[in-house]
Amino acid sequence: MSDDNKVEALHMQPFPENPTLEQAVQMFAHHSCPMPLRRQALSILIGEKFLPKQADDPVVESGLWRLLQTAQAKSEASPVDRLMALAECVRFGQVVKRMAPMIATQLQPVFVNPLPALGMLADADDRLNVARACSAAPRGLPWLVWWLAQAIAEEETGEKARSEMLSSLLSRSESLQQAIELLVKAFSDLRPATELPGDSLARRLTRTLAILRSLILESEMPAGNGLGNALFELLVMPMDAVGKPDTEKVRLDLCEEALLTVHDAVRSRVSLVTDAQLYQVLAYCKRLCGGRAWPKQLDRPRRRLVADVSEALLLLGKQGRRDQPLLEQFSVLADSTQDAKAMAQALAYSHPELPEDVRDWLVHGRVRHLAQASVSVQEFASSNADGVLGLALGIGRSLGDLSQSIRQPLLDALEIYEPSLIYGTQQLFDKVRALTVLVDQVCGLRQLALHGELGQEVQFSVKFFDLADGAEPRQRMLVKQPAVVRLRPDRSPGEVLVRGLLE
């Protein structure tokens, strides 16, 4: 009897509710077995460890062929059966790994036309396997990215399926921005049929963001030019369509994931740290939480973002650049205006290497025009004189150290060989000491000081130092010439009058 006749001979109607292994083999291959029962039969074959060794059996091959035929786009099967057959083909390939490449090849025509909505499958494992099939689908399918975005938005509790679909969506998008914009549209079209649709939608967004931010850390794809606006719309547009969450915990969970998503985006892509637009979702989260003080649950992500904004301001500040929208994020992240000012001032006071105009901007929260033209001219002239005076201070201190080191040995030698020169030499050393004291006093009155000591190892800072000829920039370098600075009231280095040299 031929293999086809053997299969046709396995006529078992009605199909048993609790089939044995032998009956399960027959059910899996039978042409008229309903798709849910064929799925049940495959589960028995997998559970009894029958498949790995018997996958080449003609009866088993016949069952696999029927699954592949049912999944095809031209199949006469119902949409649900098509999706279930696709899921079962993937499951078969996971168990019989040697046949997985062949199954993947046979499934390629399935994706010629859009798949039915994934939500038709009640089982989360089935949805996961269909998502896995989509990950292996051909590239360049225009319908698939939108289908994936819709499936992600409609997914309720299947987090593995959501993760697989998000990973596939990112891999088929040109940028993070493009992928999130698709999610914005999909979530905005969603209308949960629940008593609290805002809560239901917020929970799905929370789960989506939790997976998305882990994928952002792993992915190397570009961010895109409008990632900040896309993240903002991902929360705002769906919530505006169905209403904000009613439950406080749901609101807090959503805001926590949104804040951490911004932080992880910054952490994984350094170029984003200075993009003020990326932080605009923070203000919306604060409004969701009441608009005043941040809840305690959000302290951890909020502190991380304060550090991110501080790093961004510091990075720009060292280049002499100021970004007012970025500075204003302190007002969003702080619980009060005073706290926001304290954050900015602490940043200014702890980084004396920042240019003075940047530090003043951080301290006062705005750009100030401090002097009129005539006063500016006077200050310029005074600064030049003070710079020369500061250089004299450096030379005077070096001269004082040198005279101190040779004074006694020189006088001892003169006492033996040239006693007549002892008095004049003593007078010379005394005059040098008096001159260095006078220069020190004048510099003190003018609030002048030297930054760095000759031969000292310091961190390279473009505010205070230039490189000596032939020197290569390094993180730590030796001072060849100290910088001349004007001290602030707190005695910390302020305005740089003459930049020093490092080697």
Side-chain angles (χ1 to χ4, degrees), residues 59-199:
V59 179
V60 176
E61 288 184 342
S62 176
L64 175 59
W65 180 83
R66 296 190 190 284
L67 285 177
L68 289 167
Q69 289 299 110
T70 304
Q72 297 302 318
K74 296 181 180 179
S75 169
E76 296 181 358
S78 69
V80 175
D81 282 356
R82 277 190 61 205
L83 287 173
M84 191 175 294
L86 179 58
E88 292 307 285
C89 287
V90 172
R91 187 157 69 123
F92 191 103
Q94 289 179 316
V95 176
V96 188
K97 298 189 184 299
R98 69 179 186 277
M99 298 182 71
M102 179 275 294
I103 293 173
T105 301
Q106 294 294 321
L107 287 178
Q108 297 299 295
V110 170
F111 302 98
V112 171
N113 297 319
L115 293 176
L118 189 58
M120 292 181 176
L121 292 177
D123 190 277
D125 288 337
D126 288 343
R127 298 196 296 274
L128 171 59
N129 284 326
V130 172
R132 286 169 174 161
C134 291
S135 295
R139 311 295 296 181
L141 297 173
W143 63 267
L144 185 53
V145 287
W146 172 237
W147 184 92
L148 287 167
Q150 285 183 305
I152 291 165
E154 292 170 359
E155 182 61 52
E156 293 187 14
T157 57
E159 300 315 306
K160 290 183 179 179
R162 194 192 314 276
S163 179
E164 184 70 30
M165 290 184 287
L166 267 169
S167 180
S168 183
L169 177 62
L170 290 183
S171 70
R172 295 171 185 275
S173 302
E174 294 180 1
S175 65
L176 292 173
Q177 171 199 348
Q178 185 187 71
I180 294 175
E181 284 175 346
L182 287 167
L183 292 175
V184 171
K185 187 177 186 308
F187 274 98
S188 298
D189 292 344
L190 194 63
R191 298 294 184 273
T194 60
E195 292 183 3
L196 300 173
D199 281 17

Side-chain angles (χ1 to χ4, degrees), residues 398-416:
S398 297
L399 184 60
D401 293 339
L402 178 61
S403 64
Q404 186 68 24
S405 65
I406 68 171
R407 176 185 181 111
Q408 197 56 49
L410 182 57
L411 291 175
D412 291 343
L414 290 176
E415 188 173 1
I416 298 172

Side-chain angles (χ1 to χ4, degrees), residues 478-496:
L478 296 177
V479 176
K480 184 176 182 180
Q481 176 185 304
V484 179
V485 300
R486 192 183 304 281
L487 298 176
R488 303 189 188 94
D490 63 357
R491 310 301 293 172
S492 62
E495 179 187 4
V496 179

Side-chain angles (χ1 to χ4, degrees), residues 271-290:
S271 61
L272 294 176
V273 71
T274 58
D275 183 3
Q277 188 185 51
L278 184 66
Y279 302 94
Q280 63 178 316
V281 72
L282 308 183
Y284 180 77
C285 290
K286 191 173 187 179
R287 290 197 298 272
L288 273 183
C289 297

Side-chain angles (χ1 to χ4, degrees), residues 329-356:
Q329 293 306 316
F330 277 152
S331 298
V332 177
L333 290 166
D335 288 335
S336 66
T337 303
Q338 291 303 317
D339 287 347
K341 289 181 179 179
M343 290 177 184
Q345 290 171 355
L347 187 64
Y349 295 146
S350 60
H351 290 279
E353 75 277 10
L354 289 172
E356 284 307 296

